[in-house]
Amino acid sequence: MKAFNYKRLLDITNTVPSFRGNVNRFPLGNRKQNNKYFLRRDEDGYTVFDVVYGETWNSTEIDRLEYIRLKLEHRKFRKATGTERAQTYVMKWTKHTTDENGHYVELKRQFEYHRRDRGHNTIGTVRPDNSFEFTKSRYWQGDRCFLSQHSAGWFVTDSRRGGMIFYDNNDQQFHPIWKGLRVNCDTMEAVTPYEVVIHHVDRKSGKGILSKYEHMFKVSEVMLKAMDLHTINNTCIEIVDGLLGVDAHKGHVGRMKEYTEHAEKLIDDAPLDALLLFTLAYDVRHVGYRMRYGMNNHTDDTPENIFMATKRRVAKEVYKENPDILKEVSCGSGKRYPACDWGVKLMVNGQQVEQAT
């Protein structure tokens, strides 16, 4: 993040004029890109810089009288300036509810009023010790691209590593990002000490919990590998229609609970039926989509892939229901940590913090 170096920003404030109409707003680079800038302010007797990319809007519900007052003010503003651009807008929305079928229904002649205030989309704050502090708990794609463009690395989101992360080209620095993290602008080393803790499955305990599915996995693996995709598709249709009625497979969406309940009952008596019901319940490898809309010749799926993906998904759901089999493993800080399906904890001064997304 050398582009946000404190000395560089300080030099800009001393040598480059601020944007017109502002005394504390300065360009980060090309002056024509006026949505990329920083704001100078004082904090505890020191000068700090808020790095801004674009704008943000905050919505607040107001009453009808306040709506009318702000509407009149906005009308006067447009007449005086000849522009629609303002810091505050007001909106009038028709209230709505849902009926017994969950359908959207508007309530006639009933309204709610909102004001929207324009603000700075502050990405972070640069402090006198040449550190950059992340000040948001959520960074959108444009925010992440902006940060990546101004650093020697990449800011991305990784669900299996807890959320937003940073890594450089040589993996010398690797950090999870959270609101309050401070890093050195030149080296990207973390100024804020932290610890990454991931969860691993205790295989010994996990094997015991999955033992009830062992027979189903063994039998269905042999049977599935002897079938082709068209046969699997027809078998799924027969199973669903046999349990839920004729043509029930055409309304397959949203029946995860039904499918899993039937699958649990059939684990011992009909292992293949049980496995395919789990496949449909969790929508593994789009088998349910093909069952509902018909097969085509453009899939590169295989029975082996379907079986392995279903087996992994069943195990994952079982592990979720039994968190006691998960054990915590510390991965330290500043280094790449392994991807984890079972959650990542960030510990700062002994307290868990929420990772940015």
Side-chain angles (χ1 to χ4, degrees), residues 121-159:
N121 182 30
T122 303
I123 300 296
T125 299
V126 180
R127 302 193 177 279
D129 61 352
N130 198 33
S131 67
F132 180 90
E133 179 181 346
F134 295 87
T135 56
K136 297 180 66 176
S137 57
R138 182 159 194 175
Y139 287 84
W140 302 98
Q141 182 177 1
D143 300 334
R144 299 192 300 271
C145 289
F146 172 77
L147 287 169
S148 299
Q149 290 167 358
H150 291 82
S151 63
W154 306 94
F155 288 86
V156 298
T157 54
D158 187 336
S159 61

Side-chain angles (χ1 to χ4, degrees), residues 227-356:
M227 303 165 69
D228 59 23
L229 293 182
H230 287 276
T231 306
I232 292 174
N233 192 58
N234 293 334
T235 304
C236 289
I237 293 174
E238 290 177 12
I239 294 170
V240 173
D241 288 354
L243 291 173
L244 304 178
V246 179
D247 289 338
H249 70 279
K250 296 180 180 179
H252 144 76
V253 178
R255 287 179 168 168
M256 185 179 77
K257 187 176 180 181
E258 284 183 84
Y259 288 161
T260 52
E261 288 177 351
H262 284 297
E264 292 287 349
K265 296 175 183 177
L266 297 172
I267 286 175
D268 296 320
D269 298 332
L272 178 62
D273 293 8
L275 185 96
L276 289 177
L277 283 170
F278 281 125
T279 303
L280 296 172
Y282 302 129
D283 195 25
V284 176
R285 307 291 296 182
H286 304 295
V287 173
Y289 181 89
R290 294 196 291 268
M291 178 189 71
R292 188 180 185 192
Y293 295 106
M295 283 290 299
N296 60 60
N297 297 320
H298 303 291
T299 178
D300 57 355
D301 215 343
T302 64
E304 291 85 353
N305 289 342
I306 293 173
F307 171 76
M308 292 305 299
T310 304
K311 184 177 180 180
R312 285 193 297 267
R313 183 58 188 270
V314 171
K316 184 175 181 178
E317 294 298 324
V318 172
Y319 293 154
K320 282 182 180 179
E321 295 173 0
N322 298 271
D324 295 338
I325 68 171
L326 301 177
K327 60 181 180 180
E328 294 185 348
V329 179
S330 174
C331 297
S333 63
K335 298 180 180 179
R336 179 181 289 271
Y337 53 92
C340 176
D341 288 326
W342 316 112
V344 176
K345 286 202 316 186
L346 288 179
M347 305 300 295
V348 180
N349 297 325
Q351 298 292 323
Q352 183 176 354
V353 298
E354 184 177 352
Q355 191 168 344

Side-chain angles (χ1 to χ4, degrees), residues 18-258:
S18 61
F19 282 105
R20 184 175 60 183
N22 297 270
V23 296
N24 67 333
R25 182 177 171 220
F26 298 87
L28 275 170
N30 189 335
R31 198 177 189 84
K32 291 182 179 180
Q33 295 181 330
N34 58 7
N35 64 332
K36 302 176 182 179
Y37 57 93
F38 66 94
L39 302 171
R40 179 182 59 191
R41 63 182 175 87
D42 292 330
E43 184 180 283
D44 299 330
Y46 297 95
T47 299
V48 298
F49 304 113
D50 292 329
V51 178
V52 179
Y53 175 55
E55 58 192 25
T56 185
W57 292 91
N58 296 314
S59 182
T60 308
E61 188 169 359
I62 57 178
D63 59 26
R64 183 171 179 273
L65 292 178
E66 179 69 3
Y67 168 80
I68 294 173
R69 185 186 69 81
L70 291 173
K71 192 78 172 175
L72 292 174
E73 284 188 3
H74 192 213
R75 189 174 298 170
K76 292 178 182 178
F77 174 83
R78 283 186 299 173
K79 288 183 178 179
T81 61
T83 178
E84 291 282 345
R85 189 173 178 83
Q87 294 301 115
T88 300
Y89 291 86
V90 289
M91 293 176 295
K92 177 182 176 181
W93 295 341
T94 303
K95 289 186 177 181
H96 69 277
T97 185
T98 53
D99 59 18
E100 61 275 5
N101 297 319
H103 297 150
Y104 179 93
V105 178
E106 288 189 352
L107 301 176
K108 294 183 178 180
R109 304 186 66 82
Q110 295 188 42
F111 306 101
E112 57 184 46
Y113 307 92
H114 293 260
R115 63 175 290 169
R116 298 192 71 204
D117 298 293
R118 187 197 307 271
H120 303 290
N121 182 30
T122 303
I123 300 296
T125 299
V126 180
R127 302 193 177 279
D129 61 352
N130 198 33
S131 67
F132 180 90
E133 179 181 346
F134 295 87
T135 56
K136 297 180 66 176
S137 57
R138 182 159 194 175
Y139 287 84
W140 302 98
Q141 182 177 1
D143 300 334
R144 299 192 300 271
C145 289
F146 172 77
L147 287 169
S148 299
Q149 290 167 358
H150 291 82
S151 63
W154 306 94
F155 288 86
V156 298
T157 54
D158 187 336
S159 61
R160 298 181 68 204
R161 288 186 170 88
M164 183 172 167
I165 59 173
F166 167 83
Y167 64 93
D168 61 20
N169 295 328
N170 301 315
D171 268 358
Q172 296 296 315
Q173 296 295 330
F174 190 101
H175 303 296
I177 306 300
W178 73 90
K179 183 178 180 180
L181 170 66
R182 292 170 64 178
V183 296
N184 184 281
C185 288
D186 293 336
T187 64
M188 281 304 293
E189 293 180 355
V191 177
T192 308
Y194 70 90
E195 179 188 19
V196 175
V197 178
I198 64 174
H199 294 92
H200 272 193
V201 176
D202 185 334
R203 295 298 176 187
K204 187 176 181 180
S205 302
K207 190 175 181 180
I209 293 175
L210 288 174
S211 60
K212 64 177 284 190
Y213 302 97
E214 188 173 349
H215 174 68
M216 178 188 74
F217 290 144
K218 284 183 178 179
V219 174
S220 58
E221 180 179 13
V222 176
M223 297 180 71
L224 266 185
K225 289 182 178 180
M227 303 165 69
D228 59 23
L229 293 182
H230 287 276
T231 306
I232 292 174
N233 192 58
N234 293 334
T235 304
C236 289
I237 293 174
E238 290 177 12
I239 294 170
V240 173
D241 288 354
L243 291 173
L244 304 178
V246 179
D247 289 338
H249 70 279
K250 296 180 180 179
H252 144 76
V253 178
R255 287 179 168 168
M256 185 179 77
K257 187 176 180 181
E258 284 183 84

